[in-house]
Amino acid sequence: MEQTLTIPSTAVTTDNNQAFLKAWKMNHILANALGLGLLHTLIAHGIAGPHAVSLTVTQFVWHTVSIIFFALLLNGLQNKALQHKFTRQTFADAGYFGVLMPLFFWLGYYTLYIPFDIIFMYLTIGILNAWRLRKYFADANRWAWQIILSLALGAAVGVACGFGAYFGFIKDMKGMGADILLWIFISIPASFTYATISQVFLKKQLQSV
């Protein structure tokens, strides 16, 4: 059973908090930049090719594989950050992330279409973290709305940057480079936004522990 790590020294606690907060932000940005910004396009479009609104079975499968890879990468790097402060396994909750993130990505895509695939996926990250990480914080209810709000704002910024980049110059570009550039303009602003905001909330939460 996972337990909050007890640290007797105030100085050590401060160092661990700082290491945790830094890793939390950097690991989320790294997971997004690598998993969505680069590898999503290389896996989904590089193997199955470009697609229209309707995807073939092969395209659907490889898009799902790419989102699962991103989900597992994000979960693993998030857990590595959490290990600076808490006792937590590297692959804890991998099943939840690996199943629910692609599920809600496709739910958004096939019900409301773009950009709700992206919005639903980021909100899923927030909801999972609100649920699965609540045991680490003294005020679990406050943590829940803080992390969901952080991801919602991150999704909004990522979508806005993605649309701006697409209609600004990417729509006139051709090839896989255009897809990679689009996802970079979505994933990095989104992750920087939600990681920075949630980092502030986390700092306040740790001060109350």
Side-chain angles (χ1 to χ4, degrees), residues 128-179:
L128 281 172
N129 282 338
W131 170 38
R132 301 301 297 170
L133 303 184
R134 60 184 290 119
K135 59 189 171 185
Y136 296 127
F137 303 106
D139 192 339
N141 290 332
R142 186 175 66 172
W143 161 252
W145 70 257
Q146 285 176 337
I147 191 62
I148 293 172
L149 175 63
S150 299
L151 269 296
L153 292 174
V157 170
V159 166
C161 290
F163 273 126
Y166 178 79
F167 289 108
F169 59 94
I170 293 177
K171 65 182 177 65
D172 297 321
M173 298 173 61
K174 303 294 183 182
M176 193 178 300
D179 291 330

Side-chain angles (χ1 to χ4, degrees), residues 14-59:
T14 300
D15 289 343
N16 283 1
N17 286 353
Q18 291 175 346
F20 163 53
L21 292 171
K22 180 179 179 180
W24 174 271
K25 181 176 180 177
M26 295 307 300
N27 286 12
H28 273 276
I29 295 173
L30 176 61
N32 276 264
L34 183 60
L36 276 185
L38 180 62
L39 294 179
H40 169 66
T41 297
L42 293 178
I43 295 172
H45 295 173
I47 296 175
H51 62 86
V53 175
S54 297
L55 281 70
T56 66
V57 173
T58 300
Q59 290 168 337

Side-chain angles (χ1 to χ4, degrees), residues 5-90:
L5 186 63
T6 301
I7 305 173
S9 169
T10 301
V12 173
T13 300
T14 300
D15 289 343
N16 283 1
N17 286 353
Q18 291 175 346
F20 163 53
L21 292 171
K22 180 179 179 180
W24 174 271
K25 181 176 180 177
M26 295 307 300
N27 286 12
H28 273 276
I29 295 173
L30 176 61
N32 276 264
L34 183 60
L36 276 185
L38 180 62
L39 294 179
H40 169 66
T41 297
L42 293 178
I43 295 172
H45 295 173
I47 296 175
H51 62 86
V53 175
S54 297
L55 281 70
T56 66
V57 173
T58 300
Q59 290 168 337
F60 178 86
V61 168
W62 283 110
H63 274 73
T64 303
V65 168
S66 73
I67 298 300
I68 291 173
F69 183 86
F70 167 55
L72 297 179
L73 178 65
L74 179 79
N75 178 67
L77 287 176
Q78 176 177 279
N79 285 335
K80 295 299 289 185
L82 287 162
Q83 288 169 5
H84 287 284
K85 180 65 180 176
F86 309 106
T87 300
R88 187 169 177 83
Q89 296 179 354
T90 301

